[in-house]
Structures are given as structure tokens and as C-alpha cells.
Amino acid sequence: MKVRYVRYSVLVIILALVLYLAFGYGTRSFEAYCPFGGAESLWGLFTTGEFTCALSPLNLSMLLALLVLALVSKKAFCGWACPIGFFGELLGRAGCAVTGRRLHPSQRLNGALKLLRYIVLVLFLVLTYKTGELVLRGYDPYYLIFSGVGHGTAGVVSYIVLVGLGIGALIVPMFFCRYFCPMGAVFDPFSRLGLIKITRDGEKCTECGNCQTACPHSIPVQSFSRVRHRDCTNCFECVDACPEGDVLTVRASI
Ligand code: SF4
Ligand code: SF4
């Protein structure tokens, strides 16, 4: 059975839980489970000892737990739990179904555009620390979708952002995750060290490239003996796509 079915089942369950919270049925807001809220709260905690705006210790706990997870299994959170990653992947598949092909930007362009997520990270942390407000709310697809472009968003600009990210995801899979997600930028150094990773048997590999084509992040798996790449979410799409039975395996290695 393809690992994707298991992964999508996990993602659907998590999406249902977030929707449950978003419709006001839980005791906490869906925002309380956002790990980036942990990063946004740090300055306020250091300077005033208080959490910024609607943030709470749960956001900080989520951040710390997911950084530990990244050290164990890279960006598994992004591929196995994040609703925005799930939407990005589904939209990428829908775009591919319409056009008949997946657009993979060149490695050079892809690498250059990824710098944007560091700019987003620094910009929104500085703005949050300076204003004491959760400025990212107006541009964050997680908040925009699950709040229904609600309180604290940026009006028509928020709708433009949401539509732009949706169109981008139809063209390039994981458009927001690749180029704009500030949480992805926080994970990057931890993910590079992640213990569990895809390993490739170079002797048996035919270098057909199916693995890279299937990878939502266009990682050139066929170029590595171990996939240490910072963007790998351990989604195992490459393993499912490899026509040679035991070339790609999942191992704990440094
Ligand atoms: S899909 Fe398998 S055989 Fe083909 S390049 Fe990737 S690892 Fe090698
Ligand atoms: S390299 Fe394989 S496991 Fe990693 S993100 Fe790409 S498809 Fe998923």
C-alpha cells in the first residue's frame, strides 16, 4: 500500500480537528496550536515576561516539540500534519491533473526564491516584536483560512494574498511552503540534522529521475546517497515512485 494513503489519512484527521476548533467547538482557538506563534512570543517573553496578544504557553510548547521532531525526522510536521502543506500538495496535484505535467522550477531559480522565506521570517518577527500585534495574521494562510479572513486581517489585501497563494500552488506544488513559510525557515537548520532520512543504493539506481518528479519539493533524490536536504518532509513519495524495489529505503543515519 502506498504510504501516501496513510499520510493523507493522518492529514485529514488533523484537518478535521483544526476545523472543529475553527468552528468554536473546542476549549481553545485553532491559533493556540500554531508553532510559529511560539517564535512570535519569544521577544515578549524576554522583555515583559508575557505572551504577545492571543499567544499562550501551548504555542511555545508546539514550537519546542516540533524542533525536536525536526531533529528526529526532518520536516515531517510539514508533510504529515500541517493543513497548509496538505492544501499545497492537493492544489499541486490538481494543477498537474489539468496541465498533465508538474512544473519544477530550475534548481537555481528554486534556490533563489527560497530566500524569500527568510525575509518573511525576519520581517514578521521584527514587526510583531515592534508592534506587539500578530501582524502575520493578515497574510498567513493558516489564519486566513481557518478564521474565514476574520479579526485582525488586512481586508482586501488578505483576499489577494490567499488567491495568489492558491494560484501559485496550482502552478508550483507547495508554493507557500517552498517560498514563503516562516516556520519552514525556522525548521531549516534542524531539518538538515534530522536523523531519519531517505537513503539511496547507488549501485542499483538507474537514475530514471522518477523520485525527483514525484517529490513535492523537487528534491533531486537521485543525486544523493542520503537525503539530508532541508526541505525533505519524509513524505516517502519518492520511495513510492521508485520502480526499483529496494533502492530507496528509510533509515536513521547522520
Ligand atoms: S526513482 Fe529510484 S531508480 Fe529512479 S532515479 Fe530515483 S532512486 Fe534511482
Ligand atoms: S525527498 Fe522523498 S521523502 Fe523527502 S520530500 Fe521529497 S519525496 Fe518526500
Side-chain angles (χ1 to χ4, degrees):
M1 186 178 73
K2 285 192 172 189
V3 178
R4 187 191 307 154
Y5 300 141
V6 179
R7 192 165 60 85
Y8 278 13
S9 301
V10 174
L11 282 161
V12 165
I13 291 168
I14 291 174
L15 177 60
L17 290 172
V18 176
L19 283 170
Y20 178 82
L21 297 175
F23 282 106
Y25 291 115
T27 51
R28 292 177 187 273
S29 157
F30 66 91
E31 260 191 305
Y33 296 88
C34 172
F36 191 64
E40 289 175 303
S41 68
L42 289 177
W43 184 253
L45 279 177
F46 278 128
T47 53
T48 65
E50 292 182 359
F51 284 88
T52 308
C53 211
L55 301 176
S56 72
L58 187 53
N59 294 102
L60 193 57
S61 307
M62 287 290 292
L63 173 69
L64 296 176
L66 294 182
L67 293 181
V68 172
L69 175 65
L71 287 174
V72 175
S73 187
K74 305 177 73 58
K75 290 186 179 173
F77 169 77
C78 311
W80 287 79
C82 179
I84 299 305
F86 189 28
F87 291 151
E89 199 174 326
L90 293 181
L91 285 172
R93 286 189 187 283
C96 178
V98 171
T99 61
R101 61 188 286 266
R102 229 176 224 204
L103 181 67
H104 288 285
S106 71
Q107 292 297 321
R108 201 169 178 179
L109 177 63
N110 201 34
L113 290 175
K114 282 179 194 175
L115 293 175
L116 290 171
R117 67 191 186 207
Y118 299 104
I119 295 171
V120 171
L121 171 66
V122 173
L123 179 69
F124 282 100
L125 283 185
V126 169
L127 287 174
T128 305
Y129 295 165
K130 277 195 133 183
T131 63
E133 299 288 332
L134 299 178
V135 188
L136 186 62
R137 273 177 169 170
Y139 315 93
D140 171 11
Y142 178 73
Y143 184 78
L144 293 177
I145 292 170
F146 293 108
S147 73
V149 193
H151 168 75
T153 55
V156 71
V157 176
S158 295
Y159 285 101
I160 292 171
V161 167
L162 212 44
V163 171
L165 292 176
I167 293 171
L170 285 168
I171 300 168
V172 178
M174 320 303 288
F175 182 71
F176 173 76
C177 314
R178 285 186 195 219
Y179 306 133
F180 298 106
C181 180
M183 196 60 230
V186 174
F187 281 146
D188 278 346
F190 298 85
S191 176
R192 275 192 198 280
L193 301 172
L195 194 64
I196 296 173
K197 52 179 75 77
I198 305 292
T199 61
R200 185 181 65 96
D201 184 338
E203 300 280 304
K204 296 180 188 163
C205 175
T206 60
E207 302 197 358
C208 65
N210 285 8
C211 44
Q212 181 175 7
T213 305
C215 176
H217 287 275
S218 312
I219 296 171
V221 179
Q222 70 279 7
S223 310
F224 305 117
S225 55
R226 289 180 193 147
V227 180
R228 295 192 176 88
H229 200 287
R230 62 187 167 167
D231 285 338
C232 180
T233 62
N234 274 338
C235 67
F236 309 145
E237 286 291 326
C238 53
V239 180
D240 280 347
C242 180
E244 309 299 322
D246 51 357
V247 173
L248 295 180
T249 48
V250 184
R251 297 211 183 131
S253 65
I254 50 173

